[in-house]
């Protein structure tokens, strides 16, 4: 076993965290009789040698020894070793090669090329693993038949053989998936695979899950051939499949050691819990249905129909997975999502708190479009408070607590005062108060009750501990959003404490908050002024902005802004340009430098400078501004929000932008900064208004349909 393992110079290779010299020990540990050692070695291998799907030369060099482990019947957990090999191969194909085996345009990582070459040489060995007596090994090996065998006829024959032999739903779904992967990778297999899948889908002798899989995978092979009958057929088979699969309660998450109470921000701990939660899949058909949604792509109404059926499943795990897919659809694709929002809101009333919590979390994330679900959220929150008391935010039962908290947060993000009682309970009890802080700023009408409580929490923060920065920043952001000058004293005190403890992130947040309060924060002006020469990259522009907002002294601020325009750090230039635009025509001294910045290498600098040029110089700057904006938007669609906002201010002078605007609005995917719902909805709203203003429809013509 492992002949030649130590002949390899592992120390000369690297993985995600440096030298790969530990790889021999990890490979050896995968054969250990100690289950704990095997699990630890596997976690480390995935975490370092195959980090987040990465394939390094050290990863590829491990494959011969992983094959030895998989082939040896004495190896414990052989299935996880086979699954690891398949994962390495799949990621290598995704990163370095097209599905047809040709290299993609950029040079693939060396490890990917090595891994693919090796696995294709040994592809025939997956046939033996796919016939292994151990069903778990067979299940893990099946994808390899589609990914690594280069003999199309043999691969198809093997897949047919396995489908006839396997009875379990999981294995049959993987076989059909492997067939589609084979057809996409090898054009020589395409026609026979597609014909086989079509036959399976139409064969009443096959189980409904197999027929659904065949229908979906054929659509994956040829998405352009999806017809009007595809979705109704899939919905019918999905309904039959849901009746055939046993209904099981959602299993609790595996227990894990909690983070240290001291030294880890609660937001970080919660983020890892969320990541762990979202990697769990509860229904055997979930991966298949994700494939179907990917094949349907921009067909939002059809996908909504499929999701409606998924949400109608009697199995809570299937519904939970479907709720997540609803969120993915709404944050990725444009369209009228009212029906989908209401379908998700219907899941709030389920008896399963895990599903209800996930539904509320999706509505919170989608809050810019979630208004149709407002009343359902309010009813859910009120019902929980009535059933479990006013302190349900801190309920001992974890699923109930999360369900309530997520619903309250979603309601608060809609600016609904009915979220306030639970937020106040959270702030008063200090149980998961950070979750209430994150949404408190959306209720400015309740500032009189929220600001004193937020201030108390801010005063209690120990700034000698770095991990408190996230909590302080969140409170400062909330206080700024609430906009109540009563918060000025605690914000000013926080600024002083942050400066003393060199908490630069908190310093910046406090400066931004004081800037929101404007002249009401004049008492902090000297501290603010002293920070305009700070060395921290973020603090200095924030201090200049706060100095202008609090004091309004143009003669003092202009020299500072002009220096920032010459800074090599691009976000400092952008911050300065934004503030100059806010000052407007009195900042005319900056015009020459702003004009020069229209030739900057970075498109974001050009966009911010162009916007400032228009605000300061107006119509005289229009040709250069328009040219810079359109070039930047064509180069990087993420700038669209900023560009369209400036075009809107330019009015009729923005007419040459009409073709680009129409092209942007015609895109089915969300666009703008971060491709987020919030930015994209604003982009669409302003863009449609601008197009109508620049090119109004002829009298009697129908109004354009929203994207």
């Amino acid at each position: 076993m492992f002949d030649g393992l130590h002949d390899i110079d592992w120390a000369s290779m690297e993985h995600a965290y440096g030298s790969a010299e530990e790889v021999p020990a990890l490979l050896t540990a995968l054969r250990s009789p100690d289950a704990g050692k095997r699990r630890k070695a596997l976690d480390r291998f995935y975490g370092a040698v195959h980090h987040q799907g990465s394939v390094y030369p050290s990863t590829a060099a491990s494959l011969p020894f992983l094959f030895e482990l998989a082939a040896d019947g004495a190896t414990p957990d052989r299935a996880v070793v086979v699954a690891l090999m398949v994962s390495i191969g799949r990621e290598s194909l995704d990163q370095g090669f097209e599905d047809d085996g040709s290299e993609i345009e950029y040079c693939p990582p060396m490890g990917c090329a090595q891994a693919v070459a090796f696995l294709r040489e040994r592809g025939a060995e997956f046939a033996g693993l796919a016939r292994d007596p151990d069903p778990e090994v067979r299940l893990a090996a099946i994808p390899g038949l589609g990914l690594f065998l280069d003999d199309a006829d043999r691969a198809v024959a093997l897949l047919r053989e396995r489908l006839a032999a396997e009875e379990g739903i999981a294995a049959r779904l993987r076989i059909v998936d492997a067939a589609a992967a084979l057809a996409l990778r090898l054009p020589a297999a395409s026609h026979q695979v597609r014909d086989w899948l079509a036959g399976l889908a139409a064969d009443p002798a096959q189980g409904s899950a197999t027929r659904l899989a065949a229908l979906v995978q054929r659509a994956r092979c040829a998405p352009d051939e999806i017809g009007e009958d595809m979705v109704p057929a899939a919905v019918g088979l999905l309904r039959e499949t849901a009746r055939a699969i046993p209904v099981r309660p959602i299993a609790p998450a595996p227990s894990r050691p909690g983070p240290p109470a001291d030294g880890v921000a609660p937001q970080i701990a919660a983020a890892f819990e969320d990541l762990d939660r979202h990697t769990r899949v509860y229904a055997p058909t979930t991966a298949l249905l994700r494939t179907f949604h990917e094949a349907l792509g921009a067909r939002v109404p059809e996908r909504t129909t499929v999701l409606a059926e998924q949400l109608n499943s009697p199995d809570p795990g299937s519904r939970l997975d479907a709720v997540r897919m609803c969120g993915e659809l709404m944050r990725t694709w444009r369209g009228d999502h009212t029906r989908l929002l209401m379908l998700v809101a219907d899941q709030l009333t389920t008896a399963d708190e895990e599903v209800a919590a996930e539904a509320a979390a999706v509505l919170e994330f989608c809050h810019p479009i979630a208004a149709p679900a407002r009343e359902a959220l309010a009813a859910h929150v009120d019902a929980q408070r009535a059933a479990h008391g006013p302190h349900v935010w801190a309920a001992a039962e974890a699923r109930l607590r999360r369900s309530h908290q997520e619903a309250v947060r979603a309601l608060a993000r809609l600016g609904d005062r009915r979220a306030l009682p639970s937020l106040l309970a959270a702030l008063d009890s200090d149980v998961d108060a950070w979750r209430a802080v994150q949404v408190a700023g959306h209720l400015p009408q309740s500032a009189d009750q929220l600001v004193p409580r937020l201030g108390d929490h801010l005063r209690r923060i120990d700034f000698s501990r770095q991990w408190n920065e996230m909590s302080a920043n969140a409170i400062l952001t909330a206080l700024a959003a609430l906009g109540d000058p009563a918060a000025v004293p605690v914000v000013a005190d926080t600024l002083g404490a942050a400066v003393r403890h060199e908490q630069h992130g908190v310093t910046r947040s406090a400066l931004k908050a004081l800037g929101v309060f404007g002249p009401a924060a004049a008492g902090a002006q000297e501290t603010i002024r002293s920070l305009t020469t700070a060395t921290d990259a973020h603090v200095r522009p924030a201090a200049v902005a706060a100095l202008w907002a609090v004091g309004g002294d143009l003669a003092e601020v202009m020299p500072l802004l002009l220096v920032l325009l010459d800074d090599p750090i691009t976000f400092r230039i952008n911050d300065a340009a934004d503030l100059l635009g806010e000052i407007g025509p009195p900042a005319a001294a900056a015009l020459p430098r702003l004009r020069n910045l229209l030739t900057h290498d970075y498109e974001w600098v050009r966009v911010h400078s162009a916007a400032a040029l228009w605000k300061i110089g107006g119509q005289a700057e229009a040709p250069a501004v328009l040219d810079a904006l359109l070039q930047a938007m064509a180069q990087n669609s993420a700038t669209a929000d900023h560009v369209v906002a400036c075009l809107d201010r330019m009015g009729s002078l923005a007419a040459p932008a009409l073709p680009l605007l129409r092209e942007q609005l015609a895109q089915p995917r969300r666009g703008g900064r971060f491709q987020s719902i919030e930015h994209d909805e604003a982009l669409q709203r302003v863009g449609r208004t601008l197009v109508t203003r620049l090119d109004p429809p002829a009298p009697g013509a129908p109004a354009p349909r929203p994207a």
Side-chain angles (χ1 to χ4, degrees), residues 245-465:
I245 295 176
V247 174
R248 296 185 178 92
I250 294 174
S255 60
R256 297 177 182 274
D262 193 20
V264 176
Q267 298 92 325
I268 297 295
F272 277 99
E273 289 174 7
D274 285 342
L275 182 63
D276 183 57
R277 186 182 296 114
H278 282 274
T279 57
R280 296 198 295 274
V281 174
Y282 297 95
T285 55
T286 293
L288 173 66
L289 291 168
R290 286 190 184 280
T291 297
F292 192 32
H293 284 290
E294 289 170 6
L296 289 172
R299 299 173 176 89
V300 170
E302 290 89 340
R303 293 179 65 177
T304 300
T305 298
V306 176
L307 286 165
E309 187 61 37
Q310 292 177 242
L311 291 169
N312 198 40
S313 171
D315 177 52
S318 297
R319 296 200 309 276
L320 193 152
D321 290 342
V323 166
R324 290 177 181 164
M325 291 186 213
C326 292
E328 291 161 10
L329 173 61
M330 289 187 284
R331 51 181 170 247
T332 305
W333 298 94
R334 294 171 171 174
D336 183 356
H337 294 302
T338 302
R339 182 188 176 201
L340 202 54
L341 287 162
M342 297 311 296
L343 288 169
V344 172
D346 287 343
Q347 297 299 315
L348 295 170
T349 59
T350 180
D352 196 297
E353 296 290 356
E354 191 91 9
V355 178
E358 201 62 38
V362 165
L363 293 173
E364 181 194 352
F365 188 91
C366 298
H367 70 272
I369 59 172
R374 178 192 298 269
E375 294 307 317
L377 282 165
H380 181 58
V381 168
D382 289 345
Q384 287 181 319
R385 289 176 62 83
H388 303 285
H391 301 293
V392 62
W393 175 279
E397 206 284 303
R399 291 184 176 185
L400 171 62
R401 184 171 67 248
R402 179 170 177 258
S403 171
H404 183 73
Q405 290 182 3
E406 295 289 3
V408 169
R409 284 162 58 90
L411 193 60
R413 287 198 189 275
L414 292 172
D416 196 304
R417 280 181 59 92
R418 287 172 286 188
L420 184 63
S422 289
L423 295 183
L424 297 181
L427 294 172
D428 290 342
S429 69
D430 207 17
V431 174
D432 294 335
W434 65 272
R435 292 177 61 80
V437 169
Q438 288 181 336
V439 299
H442 291 268
L443 296 173
Q445 68 272 42
S446 302
D448 59 328
Q449 298 181 71
L450 289 167
V451 166
R453 290 171 168 87
L454 292 170
D456 288 343
H457 279 268
L458 190 57
R459 288 188 184 91
R460 294 202 297 269
I461 290 179
D462 181 359
F463 289 104
S464 67
R465 300 183 178 185

Side-chain angles (χ1 to χ4, degrees), residues 1 29 37 70 82 118 131 138-139 153 158 197 203 205 271 362 454 484 511 567 584 638:
M1 176 67 70
K37 289 183 179 179
V82 176
F118 176 82
R131 294 190 182 106
R138 296 200 305 272
L139 189 65
D153 291 337
L158 284 167
L197 294 177
D203 184 359
V362 165
L454 292 170
D484 186 345
L511 287 167
D567 201 289

